[in-house]
């Protein structure tokens, strides 16, 4: 079974950039991959996703233009480039995978989840 593990989280100043990576045990070449995040006391929400062929990346409306999602199945299944981080970006970020063709914002659509990596952006 596919297992996912996020890395790259940390504490940064607001306005800084950070890159998260998601490593996989098992093949994710037929998985649509996505990032979600969850702040303390809040629901886990969709950040962005990308299809297994690398096409059609999409993002939450509030994050489009600041975050960029990509994948390279020969290296890492999923990468999230975060630019201009804001205090409200602070959350645990999760890598997730589903067998569907497109990324969706519903957590229940995703079969595999990593344990998360903490991102903290301080003003």
């Amino acid at each position: 079974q596919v297992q996912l593990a996020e890395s790259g989280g940390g504490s940064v100043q607001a306005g800084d950039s950070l890159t998260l990576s998601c490593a996989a045990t098992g093949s994710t070449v037929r998985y649509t991959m996505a990032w979600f995040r969850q702040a303390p006391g809040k629901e886990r929400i969709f950040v962005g996703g990308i299809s297994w062929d690398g096409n059609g990346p999409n993002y939450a409306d509030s994050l489009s233009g600041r975050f960029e999602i990509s994948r390279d199945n020969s290296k890492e299944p999923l990468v999230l480039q975060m630019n201009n981080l804001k205090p409200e970006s602070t959350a645990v970020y999760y890598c997730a995978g589903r067998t569907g063709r497109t990324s969706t914002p519903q957590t229940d659509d995703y079969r595999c989840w990593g344990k998360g990596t903490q991102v903290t952006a301080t003003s």
Side-chain angles (χ1 to χ4, degrees):
Q1 294 184 357
V2 171
Q3 297 186 32
L4 305 175
E6 305 89 344
S7 63
S11 181
V12 300
Q13 295 281 351
D16 286 353
S17 298
L18 199 62
T19 301
L20 304 183
S21 297
C22 177
T25 299
S27 177
T28 60
V29 296
R30 288 294 184 267
Y31 279 63
T32 291
M33 304 296 294
W35 289 97
F36 289 76
R37 70 183 184 187
Q38 186 170 23
K42 295 187 176 182
E43 299 293 325
R44 189 172 300 183
I45 61 173
F46 178 74
V47 174
I50 190 168
S51 180
W52 56 56
D53 60 4
N55 294 326
N58 69 95
Y59 308 90
D61 290 341
S62 63
L63 303 177
S64 180
R66 294 196 299 113
F67 288 13
E68 181 178 351
I69 192 168
S70 62
R71 70 186 299 169
D72 185 343
N73 290 330
S74 67
K75 301 175 181 178
E76 297 284 351
L78 190 64
V79 172
L80 179 66
Q81 175 66 48
M82 302 183 292
N83 301 312
N84 191 23
L85 286 164
K86 302 180 182 299
E88 54 265 35
S89 304
T90 297
V92 176
Y93 284 70
Y94 297 89
C95 175
R98 67 184 297 261
T99 56
R101 180 182 297 273
T102 59
S103 58
T104 59
Q106 294 82 23
T107 58
D108 288 348
D109 290 344
Y110 292 82
R111 173 182 177 182
C112 302
W113 291 87
K115 295 180 179 179
T117 185
Q118 178 70 47
V119 173
T120 303
T122 304
S123 297

